[in-house]
Structure formats: C-alpha cells, structure tokens
Amino acid sequence: MSSVLPDAQPFVKCPGGKRRLAAQIIERMPAQIERYVEPFLGGGAVFFELANQSRLHKTELILLGDRDEDLIKLYEAVRTDPKALWRNALRVSQRIMSTISYEHERQLWNEVPRCRTPARHLALRYNGYNGLWRVARKGTMNVAWCKELGDRIPPLERYEAASWALKNTHLVARNFPAYTEGGWNGKPIMRPGTVVYIDPPYVGGWTNYTKHGFSTAEQIELMQCCSAWSQMGAHVIYSQSGKEEARELLAAHWPDGIVHTTDARRSINRDGSGRGNVAELVVTSCMK
C-alpha cells in the first residue's frame, strides 16, 4: 500500500451521483455529527467527502445502508480486503474481450449463485455500458457490453483509499422504513445528534437499480419518513430532482421541509433533456 493514499472517492458509478454537489450538501450539516446515517448509499460521494474532510473521526455511529444487498456486499469486500477484490475483479475483466465473453460473465452472475461475487460485480460494472448497473424485474442484470471503456478497473489505490474511509462503518442491507423503529446499542437511530442524508432515485426518473424498483408510493412514504425523522430530532438532508412533480409531492408529504434549489451537471440520463445543467433540490429539516 502506498504511504500516502489519494482522497477516497466513489468506486461505482450511479446516475444522479453527488460528487459535484457534495460540498454544498455537507455545508448544510451541523459542525458536530454524533451519528451519521445514509440509507441510500449508492456511490457514496457525500460519505467519502465527509471522510476526506475528517468530519466523521469522532462520530460514534456511521451507518451506511442500501436496499441492494449485492452493492452492500461489494462495499464490505472493499472495506475488508481491497487488494484481493481488485485482483479478482481484474482477472474477470481481462477475460472480457467481446460481447460473447461479457455476456458469459453476466450469465454466470445471473444464474450461478457461487459466481455472484463482489469481484464479478465490480468487473461487470466497469465493462457494462456507461459503467452502470440495471436490473430487470426478474432480478437479472441486463446492461449491455461497452467495448469503448478503455482501462476497465481503476487502480488499486482507489479501493485502498475507500477501504480506509470505510474501516469504522456499519454496512447494512435494509429498506428505509427500518430506520424509523431501528435502534443501535439500545438507543433509537433517529434522535438528536443524528445526521441523516437521503439520496433516493429521482421522482419520475430511472429506478431499476434493483428488481424492486422505486414506486411513487415509496417516494411518498420516504418523504413522510423524512418528516417523522426530523420530528424525532434528526438533522435530515434530502436530495431530489427539481421536477415540478417532486416539488408537489414534497409540499404534500413533507410540508415542513425547507427546499433549497441548486444546479447540478448531469452527463448520464436516458432523456437527453436531463443532461447538462439541471435543477436539483436539497431539502433540509432546518434552515442551515
């Protein structure tokens, strides 16, 4: 391992990732973070930036979750042994030389349980179109091969830096309602001193990151949870697209949320009108 690691950064690509907005989002957090909770981890851009700024070194609980169990297993592999993960993913990636070889590795992932490993997960992400992950309703990953990606797997140092950032975290595969009644060491998760950052799929956007998707009913339930968590004393920060539909849902289901509007640069969107600079909402439970 290099004596000086680079800053930690996301090692998977997610549409709507917050690398460009992370600083703005963190500015809306209190100076002291006793507990940090992120139920929609995705690429983890905000968490990694908090780690780079040493904002979490005195935090008693860092709870990172996602509904996607395979994504959580990938994070666990990065945290536990980044070198082994990187080497194994590189081996898989080096076998992918054509559409046929890519589809063979994808088939192994979809149909052979023992082949559903974090290393194959990582290799498929870096060899799939746009580096993305998409799942059909039957639970099969169905992204096509991308032969123009160039270097498939980033250098080992990226995973070592991410492993360093993740070393004191708790990783959980659970859906967001579980955090309302959930506890940790005999205490509620959502209480004064808790900072919770929410970055769900966008209203009206692509939601097939897992076979479950993310329905409008779930968007509404999540907004209601944000309201409940803030009433329990948590400092809630929530990201969402700036679409009028999202604004209307927020007004109806989290009327006390304070809406801030900013611009984000988006290069990935199935709708061309969603690329370039687009309006983004950052909703908070207090004025900061």
Side-chain angles (χ1 to χ4, degrees):
M1 182 183 293
S2 170
S3 59
V4 179
L5 289 174
D7 281 350
Q9 59 181 298
F11 52 83
V12 297
K13 183 187 291 187
C14 295
K18 295 300 182 292
R19 289 186 67 177
R20 294 185 177 93
L21 288 179
Q24 293 184 47
I25 291 167
I26 291 171
E27 285 176 358
R28 301 194 181 280
M29 296 182 182
Q32 184 174 355
I33 302 174
E34 295 179 17
R35 287 166 300 281
Y36 180 74
V37 182
E38 191 168 339
F40 294 82
L41 182 56
V46 171
F47 160 72
F48 284 124
E49 184 57 28
L50 282 167
N52 293 335
Q53 295 183 16
S54 299
R55 293 287 303 278
L56 300 176
H57 69 286
K58 294 184 178 180
T59 301
E60 65 183 26
L61 171 64
I62 305 171
L63 187 59
L64 307 177
D66 201 279
R67 192 177 190 176
D68 185 345
E69 294 182 9
D70 293 311
L71 181 62
I72 292 299
K73 289 177 181 177
L74 178 56
Y75 270 90
E76 289 173 343
V78 170
R79 180 181 62 186
T80 303
D81 194 342
K83 183 176 290 186
L85 172 69
W86 181 78
R87 286 176 173 171
N88 291 332
L90 201 60
R91 290 190 188 101
V92 176
S93 186
Q94 288 170 345
R95 294 199 296 263
I96 298 175
M97 304 296 292
S98 65
T99 299
I100 293 174
S101 55
Y102 171 80
E103 290 180 351
H104 173 69
E105 296 296 336
R106 189 180 66 185
Q107 184 179 18
L108 290 174
W109 168 269
N110 286 329
E111 299 179 7
V112 184
R114 65 180 176 81
C115 294
R116 203 177 180 99
T117 64
R120 183 166 280 102
H121 185 170
L122 191 62
L124 288 172
R125 278 185 179 268
Y126 276 96
N127 283 274
Y129 182 74
N130 257 340
L132 299 179
W133 195 261
R134 182 180 62 198
V135 179
R137 290 183 179 179
K138 293 182 179 180
T140 55
M141 186 275 203
N142 61 2
V143 177
W145 181 51
C146 181
K147 63 181 179 181
E148 299 175 351
L149 284 176
D151 293 334
R152 305 291 180 169
I153 306 293
L156 173 60
E157 288 76 15
R158 177 179 292 193
Y159 302 98
E160 291 176 327
S163 180
W164 165 83
L166 290 163
K167 63 182 178 180
N168 292 321
T169 64
H170 297 275
L171 295 161
V172 293
R174 60 171 64 165
N175 202 10
F176 66 88
Y179 295 86
T180 301
E181 301 297 332
W184 203 269
N185 288 338
K187 298 178 182 179
I189 293 173
M190 299 299 178
R191 60 193 178 100
T194 298
V195 174
V196 53
Y197 173 57
I198 313 290
D199 186 27
Y202 286 165
V203 171
W206 181 259
T207 64
N208 287 17
Y209 306 109
T210 72
K211 64 181 179 181
H212 306 288
F214 203 75
S215 66
T216 300
E218 288 176 301
Q219 295 279 10
I220 291 171
E221 184 181 10
L222 175 59
M223 293 174 187
Q224 293 169 340
C225 281
C226 287
S227 178
W229 294 338
S230 62
Q231 291 173 22
M232 295 166 74
H235 185 110
V236 183
I237 305 173
Y238 167 94
S239 300
Q240 186 52 260
S241 73
K243 292 182 179 179
E244 187 59 31
E245 180 185 359
R247 295 175 184 271
E248 292 173 356
L249 289 175
L250 282 163
H253 302 288
W254 189 12
D256 295 333
I258 301 166
V259 179
H260 313 266
T261 303
T262 186
D263 288 329
R265 177 76 183 174
R266 295 294 175 216
S267 58
I268 303 172
N269 198 303
R270 58 177 175 165
D271 178 0
S273 64
R275 302 188 190 115
N277 288 328
V278 298
E280 186 113 2
L281 306 181
V282 179
V283 188
T284 60
S285 57
C286 64
M287 284 301 297
K288 184 168 180 177

